[in-house]
Amino acid sequence: MHYVHLKTPAMKRLERTEDMTKILVTGATGNVSRQVADILLERGASVRAGVRDPRRAADLAARGAEVVRYDHDDESTLDATYEGVERAFILVPFVPDFAELGARAVESAKKAGVHFVAKLSAAGADSTSDFWLAKNHGQSDRGVEDSGMAYTILRPSFFQDNVFTYAGDVIRATGTFYGAAGDQRVVFVSSKDVADVAATALLDPETHANQTYDLTGDEALTNDEVAGLLSEAAGRTITYTNVTLDRYAAMLRENGTQPLFVDAFCGLESIKANGWAATPSPHVERVLGRAPEPVTPTSSCATRNV
Ligand SMILES: NC(=O)c1ccc[n+]([C@@H]2O[C@H](COP(=O)([O-])OP(=O)(O)OC[C@H]3O[C@@H](n4cnc5c(N)ncnc54)[C@H](OP(=O)(O)O)[C@@H]3O)[C@@H](O)[C@H]2O)c1
């Protein structure tokens, strides 16, 4: 009897309604996205995790997430990933053509009928900026704003984790980390707070629709103060070494950093050195109803073996 295998239109509608409550998290093996997926699962949401390598998201699958292969560089995975979800967290990786990747992701989301997008951007995003990183994020954000989908754009300051992500090996080897920010203060943000704001918006899109949030901690620190906190946490002396911007660029080149990223990292150091990253924003507290996490490197020092 073939008819028992056929789905009536009503059954299909019901199935789609159930699917539509699912929230897509792209890049779910990455720092922020992984924490977004974790928080959504903890709060009982139905999650689809879009990842390049599903084997690396086995633990999310074990916790009930639907894990699908999603690769910005593989067209065949794009549209399908957004099919049947109502809300999506869009992360564009830090690669040279990330504005194009973001545009393609937004196009797929729109085509699939996604209603709400939470998009990870960056502080200072501005489509008219001379600084390519700010310009690309700004263009990407503009694509979301113009898409007709409701959105929340998240513009975090510098992540607290950066010192481990980018300088963990150097600190382990030499006990110091380098920069060109002088003694200017920077207001870092915890990547967990960024993820928490994203998850909160994804679970309550009506409240957060068409908002752009600047995400920071509430305390601006100099790099010497960061070094002091790292020393306390690691139980040994860790210092900050300030160098000129030219020297900083040369060090990056010596490490094999490609020119576009030398430009990006030097631009970011200039932003810090000019004191443009020192002002706290109230948005984390406003959205989460609690103070932002302070800079406390203890657990990071332990897990990163610094
Ligand atoms: N670090 C900061 O201080 C800071 C501040 C503000 C904004 N941001 C922005 O935050 C974003 C980075 O977030 P994050 O630190 O959470 O990133 P991350 O940890 O580097 O994770 C990036 C994720 O993107 C995935 N990915 C890479 N290439 C992909 C592709 N072609 N297709 C699909 N997925 C791909 C990675 O997958 P794999 O695991 O397979 O590699 C990973 O899951 C960037 O847009 C950056 O500009 C960063």
Side-chain angles (χ1 to χ4, degrees):
M1 299 289 281
H2 295 299
Y3 71 86
V4 295
H5 299 296
L6 295 177
K7 287 179 179 154
T8 64
M11 283 163 73
K12 281 186 185 157
R13 268 200 306 278
L14 179 63
E15 195 174 72
R16 187 163 172 81
T17 309
E18 282 167 358
D19 277 346
M20 291 300 267
T21 62
K22 198 166 266 188
I23 301 174
L24 168 67
V25 180
T26 62
T29 47
N31 181 15
V32 175
S33 300
R34 160 60 63 131
Q35 297 180 81
V36 174
D38 282 342
I39 295 169
L40 290 173
L41 287 169
E42 272 161 31
R43 295 184 190 165
S46 169
V47 171
R48 176 180 296 167
V51 296
R52 287 201 290 192
D53 179 358
R55 285 169 305 183
R56 292 185 43 229
D59 59 315
L60 291 176
R63 290 165 61 203
E66 177 196 8
V67 175
V68 301
R69 202 172 82 76
Y70 176 74
D71 188 336
H72 289 289
D73 298 322
D74 180 351
E75 287 277 344
S76 71
T77 66
L78 293 188
D79 291 355
T81 299
Y82 290 89
E83 261 318 311
V85 295
E86 186 188 61
R87 307 168 204 175
F89 178 70
I90 296 186
L91 162 289
V92 276
F94 187 32
V95 293
D97 59 346
F98 75 84
E100 280 164 47
L101 302 188
R104 264 188 268 147
V106 169
E107 199 183 299
S108 292
K110 193 176 168 182
K111 214 192 308 174
V114 170
H115 292 180
F116 175 80
V117 163
K119 153 90 173 36
L120 183 58
S121 176
D126 175 358
S127 59
T128 64
S129 175
D130 291 335
F131 179 33
W132 78 269
L133 193 54
K135 183 177 178 160
N136 276 270
H137 270 304
Q139 284 175 345
S140 244
D141 295 353
R142 181 65 68 80
V144 175
E145 288 158 359
D146 294 346
S147 69
M149 295 182 284
Y151 62 84
T152 299
I153 291 173
L154 310 166
R155 293 189 174 158
S157 171
F158 294 91
F159 296 168
Q160 290 178 18
D161 331 55
N162 285 356
V163 69
F164 301 101
T165 308
Y166 298 114
D169 291 344
V170 179
I171 295 174
R172 265 190 299 277
T174 65
T176 195
F177 62 98
Y178 295 86
D183 56 5
Q184 286 289 351
R185 293 183 177 278
V186 172
V187 66
F188 296 94
V189 65
S190 130
S191 56
K192 180 155 182 232
D193 282 350
V194 176
D196 202 349
V197 170
T200 301
L202 286 159
L203 290 170
D204 184 8
E206 278 179 24
T207 300
H208 301 285
N210 305 343
Q211 301 295 315
T212 296
Y213 295 131
D214 296 318
L215 305 179
T216 72
D218 56 11
E219 186 191 12
L221 300 173
T222 64
N223 275 326
D224 283 332
E225 287 168 343
V226 171
L229 290 174
L230 289 174
S231 303
E232 252 173 63
R236 64 194 173 91
T237 302
I238 293 170
T239 59
Y240 167 63
T241 304
N242 196 64
V243 294
T244 64
L245 206 53
D246 283 348
R247 178 70 198 120
Y248 189 67
M251 289 169 76
L252 291 169
R253 282 193 293 271
E254 283 158 19
N255 283 343
T257 307
Q258 59 169 293
L260 198 60
F261 289 107
V262 172
D263 184 44
F265 288 123
C266 287
L268 292 170
E269 289 303 298
S270 290
I271 287 169
K272 294 179 194 168
N274 280 298
W276 295 334
T279 310
S281 154
H283 289 158
V284 166
E285 182 147 12
R286 234 178 250 170
V287 174
L288 300 180
R290 60 158 176 84
E293 288 193 330
V295 180
T296 42
T298 311
S299 60
S300 298
C301 277
T303 53
R304 312 278 184 115
N305 203 21
V306 161

